[in-house]
Structures are given as C-alpha cells and as structure tokens.
Amino acid sequence: MTDHQQHLELELEKLFREHYGKLVTSLISYFGLKEIATAEDIVQETFLAAAESWERVLPDKPSAWLYRVCKNKTINYLKKQANHHVRSRSIYESPTHFEQQIDHLLLDHELKESKLRVMFALCHPIISERTQVMLILKIIGGFSVDQIRIVFGLEKEAVKKILSRGKRKIRDHGITLHTPFLFQLKSRLRSVQRALYIIFNEGYRASTGDSVINKSFCKEAIFLTDMLIREGGTDPSNNALMALMLFNIARFDARIAETGEIIDLEHQNRQLWDQEVIGWAIEQLRMARKGRVLTSYHLEAGISSLHCLASSFQETQWCLIVAYYNTLQRLNPSAFVQLNRCIALSYCASPEAAIAEMNRLDLEHLLKGYYLFYVTMGKLLIRMGEPERAEEYLQQGVLLSNLEQEKNYIQKLIETMKDHS
Amino acid sequence: MKEFMLFIREDINRMNNLSEAEFQSEIEEYVAWVDELSKTGHYVSGDPLQPEGRYILKDSVSSDGPFIESKEAISGYILIKAMDLDQGMELARKCPVFKYGGVIELRPVLKMQ
C-alpha cells in the first residue's frame, strides 16, 4: 500500500465516523422515516464515490466535497422519483429550495436535534428494544454491521436481517418523526441511553484502531447525552450516564503511551487525568443522585468516580468498589460484571479469594474464550508468586486476543514477570 | 384531502398537577393517537403548548393570561388532512383529551387558491 492509499484510507474512515450519521440523519429528516434505506444508500454511494475520486489526490475540503456530492445524488434520486410520480415534480421547479432545506438541516444545532428525534422515533414499541438499539447504532452511530455483530454476539447475516426487518416495520407503520411529546417518552429512554452507552464504549475500548477516531465516538455520545439532558425533560439517569462518560473520558489520553502501547490503570500517570472533566462528572453525579430509581449507569459512574478520586491505585477504595459491583450484578447480571468484581475483590481481599470466586462462578466457562479472563487469571497468579501457571494463562490470552496492541500488552506482562523472577 | 386544524382545549391546571406516572400514561395515549393518524396518512404536524404565555390586548399585556384559569384553554394543536369535515370530526373524536374532560375545536384551514 502506498503512503497516499494509507492516508486516504484513514482519512475516509475519519470522515465516515464524523459525517455518516450527520448526512443520513439530515436526509431522514428530509425524507421521513419511510426512506431510511434510501438515505443510507445515498450516503454510502457518496463515500464510495469519494474513495474512487480521491484515489490520486484528496480535495482541499473533503467534508465540503462529501456534502456537495451527497446533495447532488439526492437531487438525482428525487428527479428519478419525480419521473414516476407526478406529485414530486416540484424538484424540477425548485431544486434550490431543496438545497436550502438540506443546508438548513445540516446546521449544527438542527442536526443534534434531528439525531435525538430520529433516535426517539426509532424506539417505537412495534420493534423490539434490541432492534431499536441496533438501528440507532447503525443510523446515528455509523456502526458497521460487523461492529454491531460483535456488540450483540450475533452472526453477520442475523444482524442484517434484524436491521432490514426493523426498517421495513417502521416504514410500513408510517411512523412520523414529528410526534408531540417525543423526547418526554420515558418508555423510549432506555433504548436511547443504551445505544449512547454502546457508542461511547465502542470509542473507549482502548485498543482498537486510531485514537482520534475512537475519541470521536466518545465525543459524539457525550454531545448526544448532553442534548438528551437539555431536551428530554429531567431524568436523573441521564445525568448518571453523562457522569459515567465524563469520568472515563477524563482518563482517555492517559491510557495509551506515545508509542501506542496500552497502559493499565495501575500504571497510568494520574497527573494526566483531566481534572476539569472530572469536576464536571462529579457535578453530574450529584444531579444523578436526585433520582429515586437506581440504574446501572449510577453504579458504573460510582465505580468510575472511586477510581478518579483515588490518589493512587493502592489507595483506591476497592472494598467499596466490590460493593458497587455486587449491586450492579443484582441489577444487571453478567459475567463481565462478575469478572470486574473479582478483580476489585483481589485488591479488597486477596488474589486467592478472587480466584476462588472466579472458579465458584465458573467464569472461564461463562466467558468462553474472552481474552481478559485469561489475562486476569495470569495477573492474579503473578501476584501470588506462581509465574509458571501465570504464563500459561497469559499465553492463552495472547492467542485469544485479536488486536495487536492487546497482544503486545500481554507479551510485555510476560517479559516483565520473567525479568523479576 | 383538505387540511384541518384541531385546537385541543382543556383544563391546564389539571395538566400541571399530574404525577409523573399520570403524565407519562397520558402522553403515551397522545402518541398512540398521532401514530394512528400518521399510519393512515392523516397526520401533518402538531405540538403541545407550554402553559405559560402572554395575553395581549390593545393597550396592555397580562402575564399569565386568563387561559390559566379557563377550563378550556388551548393546550396543543394538531394539523391533519381529511376528506371533509365529517372525516375530520371522526378522527378528532379519538383524541385522548375527551377522556380527561377536554374538548376539541376543529377548523378547516382556509387555503387561498
């Protein structure tokens, strides 16, 4: 691959991340929910056209190029439609009117509101909560089918089928974007929050891909949560979700060394944590406490706050974190929660206690093939002074991880362990 | 199809005193009604109105307006499309406001040709 190709690929990925959701949302705002697929197709074609035309050289303003081409493709589509339906002839009479409308829909504030509107409209009770979340990830988050597949542990074909069935149902049901009280509907809030939480996490998982791209996932989720807080009526769980995101993003840059290596919580330079953002997070958590309903976001934000406020890894209130995880496990049972609880338990009690608990819960079986189970076991065994057994687990972790940076991180653990023994 | 404006009139004080659960259940009913209207292609647009406002007379402005005290103040509007006044009435009758003692004023939109 030439330098230009590499540069182009990265640039396209960045642009896709930043503009796919915006373009699709503005087209959906124009067409209505009956033409989600059309909106997606037009934007997809726009990016394909970019990949082709930019093969030699990138335009001066790539995003302006995308918007222009997308608009033209939409006008062409409308003209084609107009040839079939006499009613939409107006596109010939006033193409500039259409352009103005699209330009207006692309204004920053309009877009944020449109995104929120599309999210709530997609969470219609005729489709399941899982489908609602998947559609938001695809349409607003710009997730690929592959990314969605991983989040939900499904086959690619299954995800495609669920998405297209969902879109069809929404189209056939004639659901409007402009329902009164839309943002106040608490029954739809859960899916919206869940999708934002997943979008944030997709960006936060330290190890994958370009960190600028990842951070843009996180920022997008934060902007939309902020919009939710301002437009969606008061629901303290929104503040909890926001607190959780802010506590984590405050530590975003400290997790990766300049060399690209992963730095785990224990070895992060706490001076690099953004104290201003932590301050905002505390404020949000304070507002979240006004709620009468305890959500998993409250608990996860609480756990993050204990990490952020600890002066060092050793002085973290590990036993309190275990208690939070216990409640979280009751509220939202999962083997991943259990694994994290066991890690906290190893510092609150002992590594031995943690391993006993992991065995009792049969986490190895429940987390079938998840590399972090093996890394955790390895790290616990190092602390227990059992390097041989530790290495077995860590090697297993290397095999199961499918990301270079994670593999390197584990390799380094093994080397450091050997240096010390 | 012609356009009709539905002015929803009800006791705004009652609206203000609803519990969160009551409010949620009422707006779910509104959303279901609008859903039905849009499924059949009758819905154009609509919004609830905030209870606070200004009542403006030629020489003075009353801050709250008498509509706060009125049992039939406008709390929202919905624009629909219908074949005629009869169908407009039929569609309006399904509005949840009637369950809560409100009324609807149905007015054909006058379009200049």
Side-chain angles (χ1 to χ4, degrees):
Chain A
M1 217 191 271
T2 65
D3 277 359
H4 174 70
Q5 274 172 320
Q6 246 172 357
H7 176 64
L8 175 62
E9 220 165 83
L10 189 67
E11 196 57 36
L12 275 171
E13 203 186 329
K14 274 187 205 166
L15 287 164
F16 189 86
R17 257 307 309 136
E18 204 174 322
H19 299 286
Y20 179 87
K22 287 186 186 174
L23 289 167
V24 173
T25 308
S26 65
L27 290 185
I28 291 176
S29 299
Y30 181 76
F31 286 130
L33 285 171
K34 60 187 184 303
E35 300 212 49
I36 295 175
T38 308
E40 284 186 308
D41 287 346
I42 291 173
V43 177
Q44 198 78 41
E45 278 171 28
T46 303
F47 276 94
L48 285 176
E52 269 174 33
S53 327
W54 300 355
E55 224 165 76
R56 284 164 175 281
V57 62
L58 280 165
D60 281 344
K61 287 183 183 153
S63 57
W65 189 101
L66 287 172
Y67 284 52
R68 197 178 62 244
V69 170
C70 184
K71 257 194 285 189
N72 290 339
K73 284 189 184 294
T74 311
I75 291 175
N76 286 342
Y77 168 80
L78 289 169
K79 283 181 177 168
K80 234 184 264 170
Q81 288 296 99
N83 293 337
H84 297 295
H85 310 285
V86 185
R87 262 199 300 173
S88 36
R89 282 280 152 82
S90 59
I91 184 68
Y92 283 114
E93 289 151 19
S94 55
T96 44
H97 176 65
F98 164 77
E99 284 207 46
Q100 281 164 357
Q101 264 181 296
I102 287 285
D103 286 340
H104 177 73
L105 289 169
L106 282 167
L107 294 175
D108 213 38
H109 179 80
E110 287 297 319
L111 254 174
K112 278 186 203 149
E113 207 209 280
S114 309
K115 281 187 175 176
L116 203 62
R117 184 171 291 286
V118 172
M119 284 199 284
F120 273 91
L122 286 173
C123 292
H124 194 283
I126 51 159
I127 54 175
S128 72
E129 268 192 38
R130 191 178 67 166
T131 310
Q132 295 169 358
V133 174
M134 283 189 189
L135 283 173
I136 295 178
L137 295 177
K138 181 77 176 43
I139 294 164
I140 303 293
F143 274 43
S144 65
V145 171
D146 226 27
Q147 281 170 305
I148 297 175
R149 173 188 73 79
I150 294 168
V151 172
F152 290 89
L154 290 168
E155 297 293 323
K156 210 167 172 168
E157 283 312 305
V159 172
K160 282 188 190 164
K161 223 178 265 174
I162 294 170
L163 288 172
S164 67
R165 213 184 305 140
K167 282 180 240 176
R168 201 168 49 237
K169 266 194 169 172
I170 285 179
R171 191 193 58 209
D172 294 348
H173 210 76
I175 293 170
T176 170
L177 274 173
H178 298 279
T179 310
F181 299 114
L182 190 61
F183 299 153
Q184 277 85 49
L185 288 171
K186 292 276 156 73
S187 57
R188 302 190 184 190
L189 189 57
R190 247 171 55 153
S191 295
V192 172
Q193 287 176 334
R194 172 103 200 283
L196 293 176
Y197 176 79
I198 294 172
I199 293 172
F200 183 86
N201 279 346
E202 186 66 18
Y204 198 73
R205 284 184 313 151
S207 33
T208 55
D210 184 274
S211 98
V212 178
I213 294 172
N214 285 333
K215 208 169 186 177
S216 77
F217 270 107
C218 292
K219 280 185 187 162
E220 174 77 4
I222 289 174
F223 286 143
L224 290 172
T225 307
D226 181 51
M227 190 78 188
L228 190 58
I229 289 171
R230 280 184 289 136
E231 300 283 329
T234 50
D235 195 300
S237 61
N238 290 331
N239 301 107
L241 180 60
M242 185 62 138
L244 164 61
M245 291 178 180
L246 291 174
F247 277 125
N248 283 309
I249 198 113
R251 292 180 279 150
F252 195 95
D253 293 328
R255 304 167 313 149
I256 301 158
E258 274 173 28
T259 51
E261 276 174 65
I262 299 173
I263 309 175
D264 57 26
L265 186 62
E266 185 172 359
H267 300 102
Q268 281 169 26
N269 176 0
R270 293 181 182 229
Q271 300 296 321
L272 295 178
W273 292 358
D274 192 328
Q275 290 305 323
E276 191 182 1
V277 176
I278 291 176
W280 299 340
I282 292 170
E283 177 62 17
Q284 289 293 327
L285 194 57
R286 201 181 54 74
M287 290 193 267
R289 291 212 175 94
K290 287 182 186 152
R292 290 206 198 106
V293 183
L294 185 69
T295 66
S296 62
Y297 305 122
H298 284 89
L299 293 164
E300 286 192 50
I303 292 165
S304 291
S305 76
L306 291 175
H307 285 304
C308 280
L309 299 175
S311 56
S312 71
F313 187 78
Q314 287 71 26
E315 276 161 70
T316 308
Q317 297 192 59
W318 291 107
C319 295
L320 195 49
I321 292 182
V322 173
Y324 274 126
Y325 274 122
N326 285 338
T327 315
L328 187 57
Q329 172 64 18
R330 275 200 298 278
L331 208 63
N332 191 9
S334 102
F336 298 102
V337 171
Q338 289 289 24
L339 181 65
N340 285 320
R341 189 183 133 250
C342 289
I343 295 172
L345 184 66
S346 79
Y347 295 105
C348 166
S350 67
E352 287 83 356
I355 289 185
E357 186 66 359
M358 284 162 82
N359 289 334
R360 186 182 73 82
L361 297 163
D362 199 10
L363 285 188
E364 179 162 18
H365 175 70
L366 290 175
L367 289 164
K368 41 183 184 296
Y370 181 50
Y371 83 101
L372 267 186
F373 169 83
Y374 297 92
V375 177
T376 304
M377 278 299 283
K379 285 169 96 175
L380 292 171
L381 287 164
I382 295 174
R383 284 161 60 198
M384 285 160 61
E386 295 196 42
E388 284 91 16
R389 281 181 67 206
E391 191 176 345
E392 272 174 45
Y393 278 103
L394 292 172
Q395 294 291 4
Q396 189 74 14
V398 176
L399 283 177
L400 289 166
S401 159
N402 39 25
L403 291 160
E404 217 43 51
Q405 283 159 305
E406 283 168 2
K407 284 181 195 289
N408 291 342
Y409 167 76
I410 308 168
Q411 290 290 6
K412 211 178 144 195
L413 275 180
I414 298 174
E415 280 160 32
T416 320
M417 173 182 79
K418 284 185 173 163
D419 288 346
H420 286 290
S421 58
Chain B
M1 294 260 245
K2 293 180 188 123
E3 285 188 351
F4 294 86
M5 186 64 102
L6 276 58
F7 296 97
I8 299 172
R9 292 178 171 277
E10 61 194 306
D11 180 354
I12 293 184
N13 267 328
R14 191 193 69 87
M15 293 290 289
N16 283 343
N17 294 324
L18 292 179
S19 73
E20 176 65 23
E22 287 167 332
F23 177 69
Q24 282 294 321
S25 117
E26 273 194 35
I27 66 175
E28 292 280 357
E29 288 174 353
Y30 272 100
V31 170
W33 175 57
V34 167
D35 249 15
E36 198 53 39
L37 288 172
S38 75
K39 192 177 179 181
T40 49
H42 293 291
Y43 180 74
V44 181
S45 66
D47 275 306
L49 300 177
Q50 297 217 12
E52 302 83 16
R54 295 288 180 274
Y55 195 73
I56 302 157
L57 297 151
K58 182 168 178 274
D59 296 317
S60 66
V61 174
S62 145
S63 62
D64 291 333
F67 39 81
I68 294 292
E69 281 80 43
S70 161
K71 295 283 179 226
E72 289 182 4
I74 298 174
S75 65
Y77 69 90
I78 303 261
L79 189 63
I80 62 165
K81 279 188 283 195
M83 299 299 292
D84 48 31
L85 204 63
D86 283 344
Q87 193 189 25
M89 268 162 50
E90 196 187 312
L91 296 166
R93 280 213 186 283
K94 293 183 186 135
C95 177
V97 78
F98 296 111
K99 272 176 69 176
Y100 306 104
V103 296
I104 282 185
E105 186 176 326
L106 174 73
R107 306 282 298 273
V109 175
L110 178 62
K111 289 255 160 118
M112 297 298 177
Q113 293 299 326

